[in-house]
Amino acid sequence: QVQLVESGGGLVQPGGSLRLSCAASRSIFTFNAMNWYRQAPGRERELVAGSTSGGSTHYADSVKGRFTISRDNAKNVVYLQMNSLKPEDTAVYYCNVVTPFSFWGQGTQVTVSS
């Protein structure tokens, strides 16, 4: 079992930045993958960014160049740095890990609005 706790969401103006954190209840060093998903009202959950144990990262086209995923193995935390935020980034953001079993956090709301 892995418990995940997200934090860092909130209300931000367009063009602003936020950093989301996902703290895991145990070592993330051997996790196959750590991902960030988001779900906007009325839409399906979508993969935003992912990080594999081998160090590779991948991003949805809509966030490339604006979002950065990173992990701190010593602190068992994965981050999502979000810059140049747009109103269409508004969603609940979820942390997901694959151990290879899949675990989810409870989500954190990000609202981009003036």
Side-chain angles (χ1 to χ4, degrees), residues 24-44:
S25 59
R26 62 178 178 89
S27 174
I28 66 173
F29 185 75
T30 60
F31 288 178
N32 293 6
M34 298 192 73
N35 306 304
W36 285 98
Y37 284 76
R38 69 185 179 189
Q39 188 167 20
R43 302 190 66 176
E44 293 186 356

Side-chain angles (χ1 to χ4, degrees), residues 28-34 51-57 71 73:
I28 66 173
F29 185 75
T30 60
F31 288 178
N32 293 6
M34 298 192 73
S51 170
T52 70
S53 59
S56 64
T57 58
R71 56 165 75 184
N73 290 335

Side-chain angles (χ1 to χ4, degrees), residues 38-101:
R38 69 185 179 189
Q39 188 167 20
R43 302 190 66 176
E44 293 186 356
R45 190 172 296 189
E46 63 172 349
L47 178 64
V48 175
S51 170
T52 70
S53 59
S56 64
T57 58
H58 52 276
Y59 299 91
D61 288 343
S62 59
V63 307
K64 281 181 182 176
R66 300 188 298 122
F67 289 12
T68 303
I69 188 171
S70 61
R71 56 165 75 184
D72 186 329
N73 290 335
K75 296 182 178 178
N76 299 328
V77 176
V78 63
Y79 302 100
L80 184 67
Q81 178 67 43
M82 305 186 296
N83 298 328
S84 302
L85 283 161
K86 305 175 181 180
E88 51 263 42
D89 295 317
T90 295
V92 178
Y93 284 71
Y94 296 91
C95 179
N96 164 256
V97 302
V98 180
T99 68
F101 298 103

Side-chain angles (χ1 to χ4, degrees), residues 14-25:
S17 298
L18 283 174
R19 188 177 78 159
L20 305 183
S21 300
C22 173
S25 59

